[in-house]
Amino acid sequence: RAAADSFLPGTYHLVLGHRKGASDYYLNGELDDFRIWNVARTQEEIAADMTNRLTGAESNLVAYWSFDDGPGTNIAGVAKVAAGLDYSLALRTNGTVMPWGVNDRGQCGVPGGLGGVVDVAAGHHHSLALREDGSVVAWGWNPYGQTNVPIAAGFEVVAIAAGGAHNLALKEDGSVVAWGWDAYGQTN
C-alpha cells in the first residue's frame, strides 16, 4: 500500500470469511452479499443501498457476489455455464455473469456494469461474454491478445468459443473471427 487511503493495481487473492494463512480463524457470522465499487462511496450512499438487492449492472460496480442462493452447490436462475482451467462462469437468466474459482489472472473479474449477456465462454485464464447486441466483451489474462476483441468481430456475433489462450466468434454472415495465441495456426 502506498498510503492508508489508496490501493495499488495488481493481482490480489480475495478471501471472504477466513484469514489467509490462518487455519483456525473463520468469520463467526453471516454474509448477505459482497460488493466492490471502483469509486469511493459515502456513508450515506452505503446506508441507502446496503439493504437493496443489486442487479449486477449498476454504474461503477466492479464485482458483486450475492449469497442469496442458500447453502450447498446449487445456483438458482442459471441459463448456461462454462468451465475454464480452474474457474467457472454461470450466465444467469437476468443476463449477468457470475464467476467463481481461482481469480489469479483476472478471469473472474467480470467488468462492472456488464449486462445483457446471452452467452459465455471460458479459456484457461480469460473469459468471454456475448451481449444481446452482438458485441463481445473479454477480460482476464492477456499475454497473447486473447482479451483484445478485434474490430472485425463488430456487433454481428452470434456465437463465441474460447480455447486455452485464443477465441473464436461466429458472425451472422457465417464468417469466423479468431484472435489470441497463434503458435499452431489456431487463429488462421
Side-chain angles (χ1 to χ4, degrees):
R1 300 184 98 179
D5 62 348
S6 65
F7 190 72
L8 298 175
T11 301
Y12 300 91
H13 294 277
L14 177 63
V15 178
L16 299 177
H18 180 259
R19 180 182 294 164
K20 188 174 182 181
S23 61
D24 62 347
Y25 190 83
Y26 293 92
L27 172 70
N28 184 14
E30 296 181 1
L31 293 174
D32 183 53
D33 67 11
F34 187 80
R35 308 164 184 198
I36 300 175
W37 302 85
N38 65 4
V39 296
R41 297 180 44 100
T42 66
Q43 277 188 307
E44 293 78 21
E45 288 173 321
I46 294 169
D49 285 340
M50 72 181 200
T51 59
N52 295 335
R53 183 179 178 97
L54 303 181
T55 66
E58 286 77 7
S59 178
N60 298 316
L61 182 65
V62 176
Y64 175 55
W65 291 272
S66 174
F67 305 122
D68 294 340
D69 295 323
T73 57
N74 295 327
I75 304 169
V78 173
K80 181 178 180 180
V81 293
L85 182 65
D86 48 14
Y87 75 103
S88 301
L89 301 172
L91 170 60
R92 303 198 76 166
T93 54
N94 67 359
T96 61
V97 178
M98 185 177 117
W100 67 95
V102 175
N103 188 34
D104 60 342
R105 296 187 173 117
Q107 63 268 38
C108 291
V110 178
L114 181 63
V117 176
V118 296
D119 197 4
V120 290
H124 278 183
H125 301 288
H126 72 284
S127 305
L128 299 176
L130 174 61
R131 299 182 76 181
E132 59 194 359
D133 65 1
S135 64
V136 178
V137 178
W139 63 93
W141 194 48
N142 192 38
Y144 307 109
Q146 64 267 40
T147 65
N148 299 335
V149 180
I151 294 172
F155 286 89
E156 300 167 344
V157 176
V158 296
I160 53 174
H166 71 286
N167 305 304
L168 303 172
L170 175 64
K171 297 187 68 167
E172 286 178 355
D173 65 5
S175 63
V176 175
V177 177
W179 68 98
W181 192 37
D182 191 38
Y184 306 104
Q186 62 268 44
T187 63
N188 289 325

